[in-house]
Amino acid sequence: MTNQSYNLNSIQEILSHLPLHNVEYFETIGSTNDRAAEIAANNNDLFSVVIADEQTKGRGRSGRSWFTPPGSALALSIVLPINANKNNSEIALVSGLGALAVTNSINNKLNLDAKIKWPNDVLVSGEKVSGVLAEAHWVGDSLKAVILGIGVNIGKESIPPSETLTFPANSLNNITGRKIKRLEILRDIIQNGIALWPLVGSREFINTWENGLAFSGESVKLISGKNIAIYGIIEGLADDGSLLLRLENGKLKNFQVGEIQLRPNIDKN
Ligand code: BT5
C-alpha cells in the first residue's frame, strides 16, 4: 500500500498552481469518468478533475473493466475544455494525449522508458502499468464533453489477478523497487495533459505520440473486433492518429482508433 495521505486537502494543495476549475476527490466511486461527465454537463469550457482512491466500476474500452482497489492506484478523469478550435476529428487523438501525459510523467520523474502500445496503453518493459479511456459525449451533432480517464498502477495491490488479464501488467512500485508518491505523479500527469491539449490536432502532437510508440518498426498482430488477426510492421501514425501498418503484401494500411487490439507478433518469433 502507499502510506502517503491521499485526501481532498492534500490533493487540492498539490494541484493549487494548476488552472483547474473544479477538483473533486472520492474515497470510493463507481467510475471517475461518470462523475467527470456530470461536471462537464454544467461546465465544459474549463479544465476540471475527478480523482478517486478506489473505483468499484472502473472501466476500460468496449465494456472491459479496470481494476482500482483502494490505497494503491491512481484513478483520475480530466474534463477537457471544448472551444471552437476543437473539431470532431481531434477527439480520436485524446487517447494519445492521455498516454503521452503518463509516459512523459513516469519517464521524467522515475527515469523509466515507458512506451505507448497504440493507441492508449502505457507499457514499461512490455508490461501494462497504465490505461487511458477517452470518452466524448454528444447531444445530436453538438459535442458536449470530452473526458480523459487515466488509471496508473502504483502499488503492487493495483495489479489485477493474472487470470483476468489478456496482457501482462505491473505496477510502478514493483518496477522501480521504490514507494512512489501518488500525489507527485498525479500532479505531473495533469500538468502534462493541460500542456498538451492545445497541441492536439497539430502534426507536432502526432510526431510526439509516434516517437513514444512501442513496437515501432516491429512486426505486430492487430486483432479486430471480429477476432480477425492482421499482421504487419508499424510504420507510424497518420495525422488523424490512425496506425500505419505495412502489411505482409507490401501495402500500407491505416487502422483507426477503435475496437482493435495490438500485440507483439510472438507467433512469428
Ligand atoms: C484501458 O482499457 O486500458 C482503459 C483504462 C482506463 C481506466 C481509467 S481509471 C479512471 C477512469 N475511470 C474509469 O472508469 N476508467 C478510467 P482497455 O485497453 O480496454 O484495457 C482493459 C483491460 O486491461 C482489462 O480487460 C484487463 O484485462 C486489463 N486491466 C484491468 N485493470 C488493469 C490494471 N489495473 N492494470 C493493468 N491491466 C488492467
Side-chain angles (χ1 to χ4, degrees), residues 30-34 55 57-62 64-69 74-77 117 120-121 128-133 148-153 158-160 164-170:
S31 160
T32 54
N33 265 31
D34 290 340
Q55 292 186 116
K57 289 190 180 137
R59 60 175 181 271
R61 297 175 301 152
S62 309
R64 292 188 282 270
S65 62
W66 184 258
F67 186 63
T68 320
L74 269 185
L76 67 140
S77 298
K117 180 163 80 66
N120 67 326
D121 292 338
K128 181 162 168 174
V129 297
S130 168
V132 172
L133 177 68
L148 173 58
I150 298 176
V152 186
N153 299 340
S158 59
I159 307 169
T164 65
L165 293 175
T166 54
F167 197 88
N170 210 342

Side-chain angles (χ1 to χ4, degrees), residues 219-263:
S219 175
V220 295
K221 170 161 104 174
L222 292 186
I223 307 159
S224 76
K226 289 175 189 149
N227 230 0
I228 298 168
I230 302 149
Y231 296 91
I233 292 173
I234 295 186
E235 290 219 346
L237 298 175
D239 288 349
D240 63 356
S242 58
L243 187 75
L244 294 171
L245 201 68
R246 181 73 60 187
L247 302 179
E248 291 178 318
N249 64 10
K251 291 201 172 128
L252 194 62
K253 192 166 162 34
N254 282 43
F255 291 87
Q256 305 294 328
V257 175
E259 185 32 46
I260 207 143
Q261 296 186 53
L262 190 154
R263 298 283 181 269

Side-chain angles (χ1 to χ4, degrees), residues 2 72-74 152-156 158 171-174 180 182:
T2 50
S72 62
L74 269 185
V152 186
N153 299 340
I154 306 283
K156 68 174 179 350
S158 59
S171 75
L172 294 177
N173 280 0
N174 261 0
I180 287 154
R182 276 193 286 184

Side-chain angles (χ1 to χ4, degrees), residues 19-40:
L20 294 170
H21 170 67
N22 207 352
V23 175
E24 291 189 3
Y25 168 74
F26 296 85
E27 266 179 30
T28 184
I29 197 170
S31 160
T32 54
N33 265 31
D34 290 340
R35 177 62 196 140
E38 285 170 13
I39 293 173

Side-chain angles (χ1 to χ4, degrees), residues 198-223:
L199 300 181
V200 167
S202 68
R203 185 65 216 182
E204 182 190 350
F205 174 80
I206 296 290
N207 290 345
T208 318
W209 188 4
E210 201 172 61
N211 287 337
L213 285 186
F215 315 119
S216 199
E218 292 176 26
S219 175
V220 295
K221 170 161 104 174
L222 292 186
I223 307 159

